[in-house]
Amino acid sequence: MLDTVLVVLQVVFVLIGGYQTIVAFFGLAKKDKRAEFAPQKSFAILVAAHNEEKVVGALLENLRHLNYPKELYDVFVIADNCTDKTAAIARSYGVHAFERHDPSRRGKGYAIEWMLRELWKLSREYDAVVMFDADNLASPDYLLHMNNDLCSGSRVIQAYLDTKNPHDSWITSAYAVSYWFCNRLWQMSRRNLGLANYLGGTGMCFESKLLREIGWGATSLVEDLEFTMRCVKRGVYPTFNYDAKVFDEKPLTFKASWKQRLRWMQGHFEVARRYFLPLFWQGIKERNWTKIDMSLYALNVYNVFITGLVTVILYMDMLLPGQPHLTSIYAHAPWLLLTISLLSVVQFPIALFLEKAPKKIIKSLISFPIYLLSWYPLTFYAFFTQTNKQWSHTQHTRVIRIDEMQKQAS
C-alpha cells in the first residue's frame, strides 16, 4: 500500500513539475506593449505601514513625483498599530494618515480591510485602489501603466516586483534572482498564454467597483494569494504589467528571511486547504484551464512538502540492508526526470540573462542553491505550525530613493 501511494505521488508531482517547467518557457518572449490612453482614471494609493518611520518618507517623496496628474491621485498611509512617528511623517508630506489601533487583529490583511471601509466613507470616489508597502519605491510611470490597463479592461493588475537592495547580502541577492525568475518565467509566461497572474503583495491595483462588489475579505497571512484565489473563482483574472515596476526591500539576513518566508508558507498552507480543491473542481466542470492552472499554483506549497517527504523516505529505504523495498520512478524514467530537473535549473540563469541582471548578481548563483534548498525544511516546519496565525513584522531600514534605483538600473 505504501509503495502504491508513493508511486502515485511521484507520478502526480512529476507531471505538475513538468507542466510548470514547460509553461515557464512561454515567458521567453515579451508581447508587444499594450494600448496607451490619456490619464483619466483616479487612484487612491494605500500605503500599509507598521512602525515604518525609517523608510516611509522615501516612498512618499517618490509618490509625490509620479508622472501622473496630481489631481487624479491621493495617498493614504495606514499607520497600523504604530508606536513610532509613521503617522506624523506621513502628515508632514501632506498625505492622509489614518491611524488604526487593534492589537487583536494584526496584519496587513486586516489593515487593508479596515482602510477600505474608511475609504468608502469619503466624499470623493476613486476609479481604482493601489496598494504599496511602506518600504517600496515605484517607477515614475507606474500610474500611467495602471491607467492603460484599466482602460483596456483589466480589473486587477500586478506590477513587476523588483528588489530594492539586491547587493546588500547573499540573501538579498537570492531574493533578487527568484523575483527576476518569477517575473519573467512565471508571470510573463502566463500573461503570454492568457492565463491569470498571481498577486505579489504590493504594487497591486484594483478596480474600485470590484472591491465594493466582493469586499476585501483576505485576512490570512498571505492576503495577496487569498485575494487572487477569490478573484479567479469569480472569473476575474489578474493581469501582469511588465513595465510598471515596484522595488521592494528584502531582508538582509538568513534569520530574517526565514521568519518572513515561514509566515508566507504558513499562510500558503491555509489558502491551499481552502481553495485548491474547490478551484480545481470548478475548473474541471467548466473546462476552464485558467482556474486549473491557478489551483495548481495554490498547491505549490504541498508540492514542496510532499516531494521533499517522498525523497527522504526513498533515500532512507535505499540505506536499509538489501534491495530497496520501495519503487522510485527515477529508476524507470531517468532521462525524463533528469531533463525536467535540468530545465528547472537552467531557468534561473536564463531569467537573469533575459532580465539583464547586473553582472555581479551572477556570482550569487553560487550560493543560490542554499536559498532554494532552505525552502524544504522551512516548508516542513510551516506544515506543522500552520495553525499559527500570528502575523510577524519584517523590519525595514534601507533608505534608498528612486533616483538611486534608476542610476543602479542604468
Side-chain angles (χ1 to χ4, degrees):
M1 176 65 74
L2 175 61
D3 190 51
T4 301
V5 171
L6 290 178
V7 169
V8 171
L9 289 175
Q10 289 176 75
V11 171
V12 168
F13 285 105
V14 164
L15 290 175
I16 293 175
Y19 164 73
Q20 303 286 22
T21 301
I22 292 171
V23 168
F25 285 95
F26 283 88
L28 294 178
K30 290 191 296 183
K31 281 189 175 182
D32 294 335
K33 290 186 177 180
R34 302 181 184 184
E36 296 185 2
F37 298 84
Q40 55 189 276
K41 299 294 184 179
S42 58
F43 296 89
I45 300 178
L46 309 187
V47 178
H50 172 69
N51 290 343
E52 301 284 11
E53 63 180 6
K54 292 181 179 179
V55 295
V56 71
L59 172 62
L60 297 179
E61 182 181 320
N62 169 211
L63 296 178
R64 177 188 287 175
H65 296 101
L66 292 180
N67 183 20
Y68 201 76
K70 300 299 179 286
E71 67 274 11
L72 288 180
Y73 71 94
D74 291 319
V75 179
F76 301 84
V77 173
I78 315 168
D80 183 38
N81 291 297
C82 290
T83 56
D84 66 355
K85 299 177 182 177
T86 297
I89 291 173
R91 294 188 181 104
S92 73
Y93 278 87
V95 305
H96 306 279
F98 282 68
E99 299 185 65
R100 173 180 177 265
H101 300 283
D102 187 353
S104 64
R105 294 181 150 220
R106 301 179 67 226
K108 190 166 70 172
Y110 288 114
I112 290 171
E113 192 166 58
W114 174 84
M115 185 65 226
L116 288 175
R117 289 197 296 268
E118 298 299 310
L119 189 66
W120 305 147
K121 296 176 186 176
L122 301 180
S123 57
R124 181 176 183 181
E125 295 187 359
Y126 299 90
D127 295 313
V129 175
V130 166
M131 297 181 190
F132 290 121
D133 290 338
D135 61 291
N136 294 164
L137 294 171
S139 58
D141 55 1
Y142 174 88
L143 288 182
L144 286 173
H145 292 299
M146 296 300 110
N147 176 75
N148 291 338
D149 279 5
L150 289 167
C151 291
S152 297
S154 294
R155 306 187 75 187
V156 181
I157 309 152
Q158 175 60 56
Y160 185 114
L161 294 183
D162 210 337
T163 306
K164 191 167 75 171
N165 56 330
H167 307 302
D168 281 359
S169 69
W170 76 272
I171 196 71
T172 63
S173 295
Y175 270 99
V177 172
S178 60
Y179 270 61
W180 282 318
F181 163 75
C182 289
N183 281 309
R184 191 57 185 264
L185 300 183
W186 274 79
Q187 296 283 49
M188 179 61 77
S189 60
R190 281 161 175 78
R191 169 180 154 176
N192 288 344
L193 290 169
L195 300 172
N197 292 107
Y198 63 86
L199 297 173
T202 189
M204 306 175 291
C205 179
F206 306 88
E207 180 192 63
S208 295
K209 182 180 178 182
L210 175 68
L211 286 175
R212 286 179 179 273
E213 284 176 1
I214 69 175
W216 179 245
T219 54
S220 69
L221 295 177
V222 284
E223 74 290 330
D224 49 352
L225 179 62
E226 184 179 359
F227 195 81
T228 301
M229 298 298 156
R230 294 186 64 221
C231 285
V232 174
K233 277 196 70 178
R234 288 166 171 77
V236 177
Y237 304 143
T239 58
F240 173 61
N241 192 301
Y242 180 88
D243 300 304
K245 300 205 171 180
V246 173
F247 302 91
D248 189 36
E249 181 182 330
K250 302 307 176 191
L252 299 178
T253 66
F254 184 82
K255 181 179 179 180
S257 167
W258 177 280
K259 186 177 180 181
Q260 181 187 64
R261 291 184 291 148
L262 177 62
R263 171 169 55 86
W264 291 349
M265 290 300 98
Q266 289 169 333
H268 204 140
F269 273 116
E270 178 187 353
V271 171
R273 288 198 316 273
R274 291 169 54 190
Y275 288 95
F276 165 66
L277 282 176
L279 191 56
F280 183 79
W281 182 240
Q282 187 179 22
I284 294 292
K285 289 193 299 182
E286 298 175 5
R287 298 180 182 179
N288 186 319
W289 190 256
T290 298
K291 293 185 177 181
I292 294 174
D293 177 73
M294 188 53 70
S295 72
L296 294 179
Y297 179 71
L299 191 66
N300 274 343
V301 67
Y302 279 100
N303 191 344
V304 175
F305 175 73
I306 293 175
T307 54
L309 183 62
V310 169
T311 300
V312 169
I313 292 173
L314 292 176
Y315 270 113
M316 290 177 62
D317 180 56
M318 290 172 59
L319 295 175
L320 294 175
Q323 293 295 318
H325 303 83
L326 302 172
T327 303
S328 169
I329 64 172
Y330 176 81
H332 299 278
W335 289 108
L336 174 62
L337 297 184
L338 281 173
T339 300
I340 293 174
S341 300
L342 179 62
L343 291 175
S344 299
V345 170
V346 300
Q347 286 177 356
F348 293 100
I350 288 174
L352 294 184
F353 173 76
L354 293 172
E355 295 305 279
K356 300 177 181 178
K359 290 182 180 179
K360 60 193 304 185
I361 287 292
I362 303 299
K363 298 178 182 178
S364 68
L365 290 176
I366 298 173
S367 57
F368 186 64
I370 300 173
Y371 172 81
L372 289 181
L373 290 173
S374 70
W375 283 100
Y376 286 95
L378 189 153
T379 304
F380 268 70
Y381 186 68
F383 176 80
F384 293 105
T385 59
Q386 59 184 285
T387 55
N388 175 31
K389 301 296 192 299
Q390 185 66 37
W391 175 78
S392 58
H393 176 237
T394 302
Q395 293 186 344
H396 302 112
T397 59
R398 290 289 276 120
V399 180
I400 304 175
R401 288 176 165 74
I402 193 62
D403 55 342
E404 297 175 65
M405 295 303 308
Q406 291 170 329
K407 288 180 182 178
Q408 179 176 291
S410 62

